[in-house]
């Protein structure tokens, strides 16, 4: 197990099986969206996943739309950026072929993941990408990774959601 993920397991933020699943998702170059509120562990989780991707792949920390033109990488790392149309930025990341991304969805950066996936499919009919949506929450006042949902699109553009049962 990756030592950075082990730390989150030791803190009882996630289970060992969730940790393995996420590490495998990065190994498969799947896109990951960390969702929740500040104080629910979303920032440490996103930073951990980005750090792991950096050790395994060629990554680019996105600062704006111009970064999306770089096609010589494996992962876009998209932190919560202020003063930008964040929803449009995520949509753009979804449309870039063969490049995955790790990002955030929180009250400061709200967007509808499923709406964007449908819009992108209408534009390019790409069904090759796999998205992992990680939902964080506070349970008994402790931040936890409470749900992981894998989302793909079928050939008709319908969302296929599968919750991780680990």
């Amino acid at each position: 197990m990756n030592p950075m993920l082990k730390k989150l397991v030791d803190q009882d933020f996630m289970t060992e099986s969730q940790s393995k699943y996420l590490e495998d998702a990065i190994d498969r170059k799947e896109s990951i969206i960390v969702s929740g509120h500040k104080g629910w562990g979303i920032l440490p989780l996103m930073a951990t996943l980005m750090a792991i991707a950096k050790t395994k792949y060629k990554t680019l920390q996105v600062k704006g739309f111009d970064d999306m033109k770089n096609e010589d990488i494996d992962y876009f790392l998209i932190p919560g950026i202020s003063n930008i149309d964040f929803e449009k930025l995520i949509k753009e990341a979804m449309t870039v072929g063969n490049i995955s991304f790790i990002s955030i969805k929180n009250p400061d950066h709200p967007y509808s993941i499923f709406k964007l996936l449908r819009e992108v499919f209408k534009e390019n009919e790409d069904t090759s990408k796999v998205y992992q949506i990680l939902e964080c929450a506070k349970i008994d006042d402790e931040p936890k990774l409470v749900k992981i949902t894998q989302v793909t699109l079928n050939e008709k553009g319908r969302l296929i959601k599968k919750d991780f049962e680990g």
Side-chain angles (χ1 to χ4, degrees), residues 26 32-33 35 41 43-45 89 101-102 135 144 149 155 157:
I26 291 172
I32 299 173
I33 298 170
S35 158
L43 296 177
L45 177 57
L89 189 68
F101 68 91
I102 298 173
E135 296 177 41
K144 305 251 185 239
T149 305
E155 64 282 345

Side-chain angles (χ1 to χ4, degrees), residues 45-91:
L45 177 57
M46 182 180 67
T48 297
L49 297 172
M50 287 180 171
I52 293 167
K54 281 181 184 179
T55 66
K56 298 182 178 203
Y57 295 106
K58 198 169 182 185
T59 63
L60 175 67
Q61 182 159 335
V62 173
K63 294 178 179 73
F65 288 98
D66 287 345
D67 293 329
M68 298 294 178
K69 295 177 180 131
N70 186 332
E71 295 181 11
D72 187 31
I73 57 163
D74 300 303
Y75 262 107
F76 289 129
L77 306 179
I78 310 173
I81 305 169
S82 302
N83 304 323
I84 196 165
D85 184 341
F86 199 73
E87 179 177 42
K88 186 177 176 191
L89 189 68
I90 295 298
K91 181 178 178 182

Side-chain angles (χ1 to χ4, degrees), residues 19-132:
S19 167
K20 170 119 180 63
Y21 182 81
L22 292 176
E23 193 164 9
D24 290 347
I26 291 172
D27 287 345
R28 292 188 301 267
K29 263 185 62 183
E30 297 172 354
S31 290
I32 299 173
I33 298 170
V34 181
S35 158
H37 289 266
K38 286 182 182 168
W40 290 4
I42 59 173
L43 296 177
L45 177 57
M46 182 180 67
T48 297
L49 297 172
M50 287 180 171
I52 293 167
K54 281 181 184 179
T55 66
K56 298 182 178 203
Y57 295 106
K58 198 169 182 185
T59 63
L60 175 67
Q61 182 159 335
V62 173
K63 294 178 179 73
F65 288 98
D66 287 345
D67 293 329
M68 298 294 178
K69 295 177 180 131
N70 186 332
E71 295 181 11
D72 187 31
I73 57 163
D74 300 303
Y75 262 107
F76 289 129
L77 306 179
I78 310 173
I81 305 169
S82 302
N83 304 323
I84 196 165
D85 184 341
F86 199 73
E87 179 177 42
K88 186 177 176 191
L89 189 68
I90 295 298
K91 181 178 178 182
E92 191 132 334
M94 290 176 169
T95 62
V96 179
N98 297 325
I99 300 176
S100 301
F101 68 91
I102 298 173
S103 191
I104 195 166
K105 178 182 184 285
N106 65 11
D108 294 336
H109 303 91
Y111 56 93
S112 170
I113 297 166
F114 303 134
K115 180 186 106 181
L116 290 180
L117 289 173
R118 287 186 198 97
E119 287 176 8
V120 169
F121 177 80
K122 284 179 186 170
E123 290 175 18
N124 65 14
E125 295 189 6
D126 181 11
T127 60
S128 66
K129 290 191 175 184
V130 177
Y131 299 88
Q132 299 293 339

